[in-house]
Short mmCIF file of all heavy atoms in Angstrom, two decimals:
data_model
loop_
_atom_site.label_atom_id
_atom_site.label_comp_id
_atom_site.label_asym_id
_atom_site.label_seq_id
_atom_site.Cartn_x
_atom_site.Cartn_y
_atom_site.Cartn_z
N MET N 1 137.89 87.60 84.16
CA MET N 1 136.62 86.94 83.85
C MET N 1 135.48 87.92 84.05
O MET N 1 135.47 88.69 85.00
CB MET N 1 136.41 85.74 84.78
CG MET N 1 137.47 84.69 84.69
SD MET N 1 137.29 83.69 83.23
CE MET N 1 136.01 82.55 83.76
N LYS N 2 134.53 87.85 83.16
CA LYS N 2 133.33 88.67 83.36
C LYS N 2 132.09 87.84 83.01
O LYS N 2 132.14 86.92 82.19
CB LYS N 2 133.39 89.95 82.55
CG LYS N 2 133.28 89.76 81.06
CD LYS N 2 133.21 91.10 80.34
CE LYS N 2 132.96 90.90 78.86
NZ LYS N 2 132.86 92.16 78.13
N LEU N 3 131.01 88.23 83.64
CA LEU N 3 129.74 87.55 83.45
C LEU N 3 129.09 88.07 82.17
O LEU N 3 129.06 89.27 81.94
CB LEU N 3 128.86 87.84 84.66
CG LEU N 3 127.56 87.08 84.83
CD1 LEU N 3 127.85 85.60 85.03
CD2 LEU N 3 126.83 87.63 86.04
N VAL N 4 128.57 87.15 81.36
CA VAL N 4 127.89 87.55 80.14
C VAL N 4 126.56 86.80 80.03
O VAL N 4 126.39 85.73 80.62
CB VAL N 4 128.74 87.28 78.87
CG1 VAL N 4 129.98 88.16 78.87
CG2 VAL N 4 129.12 85.82 78.76
N VAL N 5 125.64 87.39 79.30
CA VAL N 5 124.34 86.75 79.06
C VAL N 5 124.15 86.56 77.56
O VAL N 5 124.44 87.46 76.77
CB VAL N 5 123.18 87.57 79.66
CG1 VAL N 5 123.14 88.98 79.11
CG2 VAL N 5 121.85 86.86 79.46
N ASP N 6 123.70 85.37 77.19
CA ASP N 6 123.34 85.08 75.80
C ASP N 6 121.88 85.50 75.63
O ASP N 6 120.96 84.82 76.11
CB ASP N 6 123.52 83.59 75.50
CG ASP N 6 123.26 83.26 74.04
OD1 ASP N 6 122.45 83.97 73.40
OD2 ASP N 6 123.85 82.29 73.54
N ARG N 7 121.66 86.61 74.97
CA ARG N 7 120.30 87.15 74.87
C ARG N 7 119.40 86.32 73.96
O ARG N 7 118.17 86.45 74.02
CB ARG N 7 120.36 88.61 74.39
CG ARG N 7 121.10 89.46 75.40
CD ARG N 7 120.97 90.94 75.22
NE ARG N 7 121.73 91.62 76.25
CZ ARG N 7 121.30 91.83 77.49
NH1 ARG N 7 120.08 91.44 77.83
NH2 ARG N 7 122.05 92.42 78.37
N ASP N 8 119.98 85.46 73.15
CA ASP N 8 119.15 84.56 72.35
C ASP N 8 118.54 83.46 73.22
O ASP N 8 117.50 82.89 72.87
CB ASP N 8 119.98 83.92 71.23
CG ASP N 8 120.38 84.93 70.17
OD1 ASP N 8 119.65 85.94 69.99
OD2 ASP N 8 121.42 84.72 69.52
N LEU N 9 119.20 83.16 74.35
CA LEU N 9 118.70 82.10 75.25
C LEU N 9 117.86 82.66 76.39
O LEU N 9 116.93 82.00 76.85
CB LEU N 9 119.89 81.32 75.84
CG LEU N 9 120.73 80.51 74.85
CD1 LEU N 9 121.93 79.90 75.57
CD2 LEU N 9 119.89 79.42 74.20
N CYS N 10 118.18 83.87 76.87
CA CYS N 10 117.49 84.42 78.04
C CYS N 10 116.01 84.61 77.75
O CYS N 10 115.63 85.20 76.74
CB CYS N 10 118.12 85.77 78.41
SG CYS N 10 117.27 86.60 79.78
N GLU N 11 115.18 84.10 78.69
CA GLU N 11 113.73 84.26 78.54
C GLU N 11 113.17 85.20 79.60
O GLU N 11 111.95 85.23 79.82
CB GLU N 11 113.03 82.90 78.60
CG GLU N 11 113.21 82.20 79.94
CD GLU N 11 112.48 80.86 80.02
OE1 GLU N 11 112.02 80.36 78.97
OE2 GLU N 11 112.37 80.34 81.14
N ALA N 12 114.06 85.92 80.29
CA ALA N 12 113.64 86.96 81.25
C ALA N 12 112.72 86.43 82.33
O ALA N 12 111.75 87.09 82.72
CB ALA N 12 112.99 88.14 80.50
N ASN N 13 113.03 85.24 82.84
CA ASN N 13 112.18 84.67 83.90
C ASN N 13 112.57 85.16 85.29
O ASN N 13 111.88 84.88 86.26
CB ASN N 13 112.23 83.13 83.84
CG ASN N 13 113.66 82.62 83.88
OD1 ASN N 13 114.49 83.13 84.61
ND2 ASN N 13 113.93 81.60 83.07
N GLY N 14 113.70 85.85 85.42
CA GLY N 14 114.05 86.51 86.68
C GLY N 14 114.71 85.63 87.72
O GLY N 14 114.92 86.08 88.85
N VAL N 15 115.05 84.39 87.39
CA VAL N 15 115.70 83.52 88.38
C VAL N 15 117.01 84.15 88.86
O VAL N 15 117.29 84.21 90.07
CB VAL N 15 115.95 82.12 87.79
CG1 VAL N 15 116.78 81.28 88.75
CG2 VAL N 15 114.62 81.44 87.49
N CYS N 16 117.82 84.64 87.95
CA CYS N 16 119.11 85.23 88.34
C CYS N 16 118.90 86.50 89.17
O CYS N 16 119.69 86.79 90.07
CB CYS N 16 119.96 85.53 87.11
SG CYS N 16 119.20 86.65 85.92
N VAL N 17 117.86 87.24 88.89
CA VAL N 17 117.57 88.47 89.65
C VAL N 17 117.29 88.11 91.11
O VAL N 17 117.74 88.79 92.03
CB VAL N 17 116.38 89.23 89.04
CG1 VAL N 17 116.07 90.48 89.84
CG2 VAL N 17 116.67 89.58 87.58
N ARG N 18 116.57 87.01 91.32
CA ARG N 18 116.27 86.59 92.69
C ARG N 18 117.53 86.07 93.40
O ARG N 18 117.70 86.26 94.60
CB ARG N 18 115.18 85.51 92.69
CG ARG N 18 113.80 86.07 92.35
CD ARG N 18 112.71 85.06 92.67
NE ARG N 18 112.74 83.89 91.81
CZ ARG N 18 112.24 83.84 90.60
NH1 ARG N 18 111.65 84.91 90.08
NH2 ARG N 18 112.29 82.75 89.87
N LEU N 19 118.42 85.40 92.66
CA LEU N 19 119.62 84.82 93.27
C LEU N 19 120.69 85.87 93.56
O LEU N 19 121.43 85.75 94.53
CB LEU N 19 120.19 83.72 92.37
CG LEU N 19 119.35 82.45 92.28
CD1 LEU N 19 119.88 81.54 91.19
CD2 LEU N 19 119.33 81.73 93.62
N ALA N 20 120.80 86.89 92.73
CA ALA N 20 121.84 87.92 92.90
C ALA N 20 121.29 89.27 92.43
O ALA N 20 121.66 89.77 91.37
CB ALA N 20 123.09 87.53 92.10
N PRO N 21 120.40 89.85 93.22
CA PRO N 21 119.73 91.09 92.78
C PRO N 21 120.66 92.27 92.61
O PRO N 21 120.31 93.23 91.91
CB PRO N 21 118.71 91.35 93.90
CG PRO N 21 119.19 90.57 95.07
CD PRO N 21 119.91 89.38 94.52
N GLU N 22 121.85 92.20 93.21
CA GLU N 22 122.78 93.31 93.01
C GLU N 22 123.42 93.26 91.62
O GLU N 22 123.96 94.26 91.16
CB GLU N 22 123.88 93.28 94.08
CG GLU N 22 124.99 92.26 93.88
CD GLU N 22 124.55 90.82 94.12
OE1 GLU N 22 123.43 90.60 94.62
OE2 GLU N 22 125.35 89.92 93.82
N ALA N 23 123.35 92.10 91.00
CA ALA N 23 124.05 91.93 89.73
C ALA N 23 123.13 91.98 88.52
O ALA N 23 123.59 92.30 87.42
CB ALA N 23 124.80 90.59 89.73
N PHE N 24 121.85 91.63 88.72
CA PHE N 24 120.94 91.52 87.58
C PHE N 24 119.70 92.37 87.80
O PHE N 24 119.22 92.51 88.92
CB PHE N 24 120.49 90.06 87.39
CG PHE N 24 121.62 89.09 87.23
CD1 PHE N 24 122.09 88.37 88.32
CD2 PHE N 24 122.22 88.90 86.01
CE1 PHE N 24 123.14 87.47 88.19
CE2 PHE N 24 123.27 88.01 85.86
CZ PHE N 24 123.72 87.29 86.95
N GLU N 25 119.17 92.88 86.71
CA GLU N 25 117.94 93.68 86.79
C GLU N 25 117.13 93.46 85.52
O GLU N 25 117.69 93.44 84.41
CB GLU N 25 118.31 95.17 86.91
CG GLU N 25 117.12 96.08 87.07
CD GLU N 25 117.56 97.52 87.28
OE1 GLU N 25 118.73 97.85 86.98
OE2 GLU N 25 116.73 98.31 87.75
N LEU N 26 115.83 93.28 85.70
CA LEU N 26 114.93 93.20 84.55
C LEU N 26 114.21 94.53 84.43
O LEU N 26 113.63 95.02 85.41
CB LEU N 26 113.90 92.08 84.74
CG LEU N 26 114.37 90.66 84.46
CD1 LEU N 26 113.28 89.67 84.88
CD2 LEU N 26 114.72 90.47 83.00
N ASP N 27 114.22 95.11 83.24
CA ASP N 27 113.53 96.39 83.10
C ASP N 27 112.05 96.17 82.76
O ASP N 27 111.57 95.03 82.70
CB ASP N 27 114.25 97.30 82.09
CG ASP N 27 114.15 96.79 80.65
OD1 ASP N 27 113.28 95.95 80.36
OD2 ASP N 27 114.96 97.26 79.82
N ASP N 28 111.34 97.25 82.56
CA ASP N 28 109.89 97.17 82.34
C ASP N 28 109.54 96.43 81.05
O ASP N 28 108.41 95.97 80.88
CB ASP N 28 109.29 98.57 82.31
CG ASP N 28 109.36 99.24 83.67
OD1 ASP N 28 109.52 98.53 84.68
OD2 ASP N 28 109.26 100.48 83.73
N ASP N 29 110.52 96.32 80.15
CA ASP N 29 110.29 95.60 78.89
C ASP N 29 110.82 94.16 78.97
O ASP N 29 110.97 93.50 77.94
CB ASP N 29 110.98 96.33 77.74
CG ASP N 29 110.35 97.69 77.49
OD1 ASP N 29 109.12 97.81 77.58
OD2 ASP N 29 111.11 98.66 77.24
N ASP N 30 111.13 93.70 80.20
CA ASP N 30 111.66 92.34 80.40
C ASP N 30 112.99 92.13 79.67
O ASP N 30 113.26 91.04 79.15
CB ASP N 30 110.65 91.28 79.98
CG ASP N 30 109.65 90.98 81.09
OD1 ASP N 30 109.87 91.45 82.24
OD2 ASP N 30 108.66 90.30 80.81
N VAL N 31 113.80 93.16 79.64
CA VAL N 31 115.16 93.03 79.12
C VAL N 31 116.10 92.94 80.32
O VAL N 31 116.03 93.77 81.23
CB VAL N 31 115.55 94.23 78.23
CG1 VAL N 31 117.01 94.13 77.79
CG2 VAL N 31 114.64 94.30 77.01
N LEU N 32 116.95 91.90 80.32
CA LEU N 32 117.87 91.71 81.43
C LEU N 32 119.07 92.64 81.29
O LEU N 32 119.69 92.72 80.23
CB LEU N 32 118.35 90.26 81.46
CG LEU N 32 119.27 89.90 82.63
CD1 LEU N 32 118.50 89.92 83.95
CD2 LEU N 32 119.95 88.57 82.41
N HIS N 33 119.41 93.31 82.40
CA HIS N 33 120.61 94.15 82.43
C HIS N 33 121.56 93.59 83.47
O HIS N 33 121.13 93.22 84.58
CB HIS N 33 120.25 95.59 82.80
CG HIS N 33 119.36 96.24 81.78
ND1 HIS N 33 119.85 96.83 80.64
CD2 HIS N 33 118.01 96.34 81.71
CE1 HIS N 33 118.84 97.30 79.92
NE2 HIS N 33 117.71 97.02 80.54
N LEU N 34 122.83 93.51 83.12
CA LEU N 34 123.85 93.09 84.06
C LEU N 34 124.44 94.34 84.70
O LEU N 34 125.10 95.13 84.05
CB LEU N 34 124.95 92.28 83.35
CG LEU N 34 124.70 90.78 83.19
CD1 LEU N 34 123.41 90.49 82.48
CD2 LEU N 34 125.87 90.11 82.51
N ARG N 35 124.19 94.49 86.00
CA ARG N 35 124.68 95.67 86.72
C ARG N 35 126.10 95.44 87.21
O ARG N 35 126.86 96.38 87.40
CB ARG N 35 123.75 95.98 87.89
CG ARG N 35 122.31 96.18 87.45
CD ARG N 35 121.37 96.16 88.62
NE ARG N 35 121.58 97.32 89.47
CZ ARG N 35 121.02 97.46 90.67
NH1 ARG N 35 120.25 96.51 91.14
NH2 ARG N 35 121.23 98.53 91.36
N VAL N 36 126.43 94.19 87.50
CA VAL N 36 127.76 93.81 87.97
C VAL N 36 128.23 92.65 87.10
O VAL N 36 127.50 91.67 86.95
CB VAL N 36 127.73 93.37 89.45
CG1 VAL N 36 129.10 92.90 89.89
CG2 VAL N 36 127.24 94.51 90.33
N VAL N 37 129.41 92.74 86.52
CA VAL N 37 129.88 91.64 85.66
C VAL N 37 131.14 90.99 86.21
O VAL N 37 131.54 89.93 85.73
CB VAL N 37 130.13 92.11 84.21
CG1 VAL N 37 128.83 92.52 83.57
CG2 VAL N 37 131.16 93.22 84.16
N THR N 38 131.78 91.61 87.20
CA THR N 38 132.96 90.99 87.80
C THR N 38 132.73 90.86 89.31
O THR N 38 132.26 91.81 89.95
CB THR N 38 134.23 91.80 87.54
OG1 THR N 38 134.03 93.14 88.00
CG2 THR N 38 134.56 91.83 86.07
N PRO N 39 133.06 89.70 89.88
CA PRO N 39 132.85 89.52 91.32
C PRO N 39 133.80 90.38 92.15
O PRO N 39 134.95 90.61 91.75
CB PRO N 39 133.11 88.03 91.53
CG PRO N 39 133.91 87.60 90.36
CD PRO N 39 133.57 88.50 89.23
N THR N 40 133.30 90.83 93.30
CA THR N 40 134.11 91.68 94.16
C THR N 40 134.95 90.87 95.14
O THR N 40 135.97 91.37 95.63
CB THR N 40 133.20 92.65 94.94
OG1 THR N 40 132.18 91.88 95.61
CG2 THR N 40 132.54 93.64 94.00
N ASP N 41 134.53 89.65 95.45
CA ASP N 41 135.31 88.77 96.34
C ASP N 41 134.82 87.33 96.13
O ASP N 41 133.94 87.08 95.31
CB ASP N 41 135.19 89.21 97.80
CG ASP N 41 133.75 89.27 98.28
OD1 ASP N 41 132.90 88.51 97.77
OD2 ASP N 41 133.47 90.10 99.17
N ASP N 42 135.39 86.39 96.89
CA ASP N 42 135.05 84.98 96.69
C ASP N 42 133.58 84.70 96.97
O ASP N 42 132.94 83.91 96.26
CB ASP N 42 135.93 84.10 97.58
CG ASP N 42 137.36 84.03 97.06
OD1 ASP N 42 137.60 84.45 95.92
OD2 ASP N 42 138.23 83.55 97.81
N ALA N 43 133.02 85.35 98.01
CA ALA N 43 131.62 85.12 98.35
C ALA N 43 130.72 85.62 97.22
O ALA N 43 129.72 84.98 96.86
CB ALA N 43 131.27 85.82 99.66
N HIS N 44 131.09 86.76 96.67
CA HIS N 44 130.30 87.30 95.56
C HIS N 44 130.42 86.43 94.32
O HIS N 44 129.44 86.19 93.61
CB HIS N 44 130.74 88.73 95.27
CG HIS N 44 129.81 89.47 94.36
ND1 HIS N 44 130.23 90.42 93.47
CD2 HIS N 44 128.47 89.37 94.19
CE1 HIS N 44 129.19 90.88 92.80
NE2 HIS N 44 128.11 90.26 93.22
N ARG N 45 131.63 85.93 94.09
CA ARG N 45 131.81 85.01 92.95
C ARG N 45 130.90 83.79 93.11
O ARG N 45 130.28 83.34 92.15
CB ARG N 45 133.27 84.57 92.84
CG ARG N 45 133.51 83.56 91.72
CD ARG N 45 134.95 83.08 91.73
NE ARG N 45 135.88 84.14 91.40
CZ ARG N 45 136.20 84.50 90.16
NH1 ARG N 45 135.67 83.85 89.14
NH2 ARG N 45 137.04 85.48 89.93
N ALA N 46 130.80 83.28 94.33
CA ALA N 46 129.95 82.11 94.58
C ALA N 46 128.49 82.44 94.28
O ALA N 46 127.75 81.61 93.74
CB ALA N 46 130.12 81.65 96.02
N ARG N 47 128.06 83.65 94.62
CA ARG N 47 126.68 84.05 94.33
C ARG N 47 126.44 84.13 92.83
O ARG N 47 125.41 83.68 92.32
CB ARG N 47 126.39 85.41 94.97
CG ARG N 47 126.15 85.33 96.46
CD ARG N 47 126.24 86.70 97.09
NE ARG N 47 125.31 87.66 96.52
CZ ARG N 47 124.02 87.73 96.83
NH1 ARG N 47 123.53 86.90 97.71
NH2 ARG N 47 123.24 88.63 96.28
N LEU N 48 127.40 84.69 92.12
CA LEU N 48 127.24 84.80 90.66
C LEU N 48 127.27 83.41 90.02
O LEU N 48 126.52 83.14 89.07
CB LEU N 48 128.32 85.70 90.08
CG LEU N 48 128.29 87.16 90.54
CD1 LEU N 48 129.39 87.96 89.84
CD2 LEU N 48 126.93 87.80 90.28
N GLU N 49 128.11 82.53 90.56
CA GLU N 49 128.16 81.17 90.01
C GLU N 49 126.85 80.43 90.30
O GLU N 49 126.39 79.62 89.49
CB GLU N 49 129.36 80.42 90.57
CG GLU N 49 130.66 80.95 89.95
CD GLU N 49 131.90 80.24 90.47
OE1 GLU N 49 131.80 79.53 91.47
OE2 GLU N 49 132.96 80.46 89.85
N ALA N 50 126.23 80.72 91.44
CA ALA N 50 124.93 80.12 91.74
C ALA N 50 123.89 80.60 90.74
O ALA N 50 123.02 79.83 90.30
CB ALA N 50 124.51 80.47 93.17
N ALA N 51 123.97 81.87 90.36
CA ALA N 51 123.05 82.40 89.36
C ALA N 51 123.28 81.73 88.00
O ALA N 51 122.33 81.40 87.28
CB ALA N 51 123.21 83.92 89.26
N ILE N 52 124.57 81.53 87.66
CA ILE N 52 124.88 80.85 86.40
C ILE N 52 124.28 79.45 86.40
O ILE N 52 123.62 79.03 85.44
CB ILE N 52 126.41 80.79 86.18
CG1 ILE N 52 126.96 82.18 85.89
CG2 ILE N 52 126.75 79.82 85.04
CD1 ILE N 52 128.48 82.25 85.83
N ARG N 53 124.49 78.72 87.50
CA ARG N 53 123.96 77.35 87.58
C ARG N 53 122.44 77.34 87.65
O ARG N 53 121.79 76.41 87.17
CB ARG N 53 124.53 76.64 88.82
CG ARG N 53 125.98 76.27 88.71
CD ARG N 53 126.37 75.28 89.82
NE ARG N 53 126.03 75.77 91.15
CZ ARG N 53 126.82 76.55 91.89
NH1 ARG N 53 127.98 76.92 91.41
NH2 ARG N 53 126.44 76.96 93.08
N GLY N 54 121.87 78.38 88.25
CA GLY N 54 120.43 78.40 88.45
C GLY N 54 119.64 78.84 87.24
O GLY N 54 118.41 78.65 87.19
N CYS N 55 120.30 79.41 86.26
CA CYS N 55 119.58 79.86 85.07
C CYS N 55 119.00 78.66 84.32
O CYS N 55 119.75 77.81 83.84
CB CYS N 55 120.51 80.65 84.14
SG CYS N 55 119.70 81.08 82.58
N PRO N 56 117.69 78.58 84.22
CA PRO N 56 117.08 77.41 83.57
C PRO N 56 117.31 77.35 82.07
O PRO N 56 117.08 76.31 81.45
CB PRO N 56 115.58 77.57 83.89
CG PRO N 56 115.39 79.01 84.19
CD PRO N 56 116.68 79.51 84.75
N LYS N 57 117.78 78.43 81.49
CA LYS N 57 118.05 78.44 80.04
C LYS N 57 119.55 78.37 79.73
O LYS N 57 119.93 78.44 78.56
CB LYS N 57 117.48 79.72 79.43
CG LYS N 57 115.98 79.88 79.62
CD LYS N 57 115.20 78.78 78.94
CE LYS N 57 115.24 78.96 77.42
NZ LYS N 57 114.41 77.94 76.76
N ALA N 58 120.37 78.24 80.76
CA ALA N 58 121.83 78.20 80.58
C ALA N 58 122.31 79.39 79.75
O ALA N 58 123.17 79.26 78.88
CB ALA N 58 122.26 76.88 79.94
N ALA N 59 121.75 80.56 80.07
CA ALA N 59 122.07 81.76 79.29
C ALA N 59 123.23 82.55 79.88
O ALA N 59 123.71 83.48 79.23
CB ALA N 59 120.83 82.67 79.22
N LEU N 60 123.67 82.18 81.08
CA LEU N 60 124.74 82.93 81.75
C LEU N 60 126.03 82.14 81.74
O LEU N 60 126.03 80.92 81.89
CB LEU N 60 124.35 83.23 83.20
CG LEU N 60 123.10 84.09 83.39
CD1 LEU N 60 122.69 84.12 84.86
CD2 LEU N 60 123.35 85.51 82.88
N SER N 61 127.15 82.85 81.59
CA SER N 61 128.45 82.16 81.61
C SER N 61 129.54 83.17 81.90
O SER N 61 129.31 84.40 81.86
CB SER N 61 128.72 81.47 80.26
OG SER N 61 128.77 82.43 79.22
N TRP N 62 130.73 82.66 82.20
CA TRP N 62 131.91 83.51 82.33
C TRP N 62 132.57 83.65 80.97
O TRP N 62 132.59 82.71 80.19
CB TRP N 62 132.93 82.89 83.31
CG TRP N 62 132.50 82.79 84.72
CD1 TRP N 62 132.30 81.64 85.43
CD2 TRP N 62 132.22 83.86 85.63
NE1 TRP N 62 131.92 81.94 86.71
CE2 TRP N 62 131.87 83.28 86.86
CE3 TRP N 62 132.21 85.25 85.53
CZ2 TRP N 62 131.52 84.05 87.97
CZ3 TRP N 62 131.87 86.00 86.63
CH2 TRP N 62 131.54 85.41 87.83
N GLU N 63 133.13 84.79 80.76
CA GLU N 63 133.89 85.04 79.52
C GLU N 63 135.23 85.65 79.91
O GLU N 63 135.30 86.49 80.81
CB GLU N 63 133.10 86.01 78.63
CG GLU N 63 133.76 86.32 77.31
CD GLU N 63 132.89 87.26 76.48
OE1 GLU N 63 132.97 88.48 76.66
OE2 GLU N 63 132.09 86.74 75.67
N GLU N 64 136.28 85.24 79.22
CA GLU N 64 137.59 85.84 79.48
C GLU N 64 137.52 87.32 79.13
O GLU N 64 136.99 87.69 78.09
CB GLU N 64 138.66 85.17 78.63
CG GLU N 64 138.92 83.71 78.97
CD GLU N 64 139.59 83.56 80.34
OE1 GLU N 64 140.23 84.53 80.80
OE2 GLU N 64 139.45 82.49 80.94
N SER N 65 138.03 88.16 80.04
CA SER N 65 137.98 89.61 79.75
C SER N 65 139.36 90.12 79.42
O SER N 65 140.33 89.41 79.47
CB SER N 65 137.40 90.36 80.94
OG SER N 65 138.15 90.08 82.10
S1 LIG V 1 117.93 83.24 84.93
FE1 LIG V 1 118.66 83.04 82.84
S2 LIG V 1 116.81 83.08 81.57
FE2 LIG V 1 116.28 83.90 83.58
S3 LIG V 1 116.50 86.12 83.39
FE3 LIG V 1 118.43 85.32 84.20
S4 LIG V 1 119.70 84.94 82.38
FE4 LIG V 1 117.60 85.18 81.67
#
């Protein structure tokens, strides 16, 4: 499983960056970059899932890798 972002939905509001700053980064042009796409352990998976649930645009999801 890997984390993916639907760029048509993402509005670069930074909610996921605040929830999991190790995994997400907004650049100076407000483009979201995924720095980490696979969880390192169960606790990290929970953080990424919180970011998925917290995205107000439902732009984040898991994808089969
Ligand atoms: S929380 Fe969702 S809409 Fe906001 S920057 Fe992250 S992916 Fe984009």
Side-chain angles (χ1 to χ4, degrees):
M1 300 284 279
K2 69 174 186 179
L3 190 64
V4 294
V5 58
D6 184 331
R7 298 193 180 279
D8 291 333
L9 295 175
C10 176
E11 63 178 13
N13 53 40
V15 172
C16 59
V17 179
R18 288 193 292 279
L19 290 170
E22 78 288 351
F24 304 97
E25 182 176 18
L26 280 173
D27 68 18
D28 292 341
D29 295 320
D30 276 349
V31 175
L32 183 69
H33 297 276
L34 274 57
R35 303 167 67 190
V36 176
V37 294
T38 55
T40 53
D41 56 29
D42 286 348
H44 192 213
R45 177 184 294 275
R47 283 165 57 80
L48 297 182
E49 288 180 347
I52 291 173
R53 288 194 306 273
C55 174
K57 301 297 288 184
L60 298 171
S61 61
W62 294 115
E63 181 178 86
E64 294 291 337
S65 56

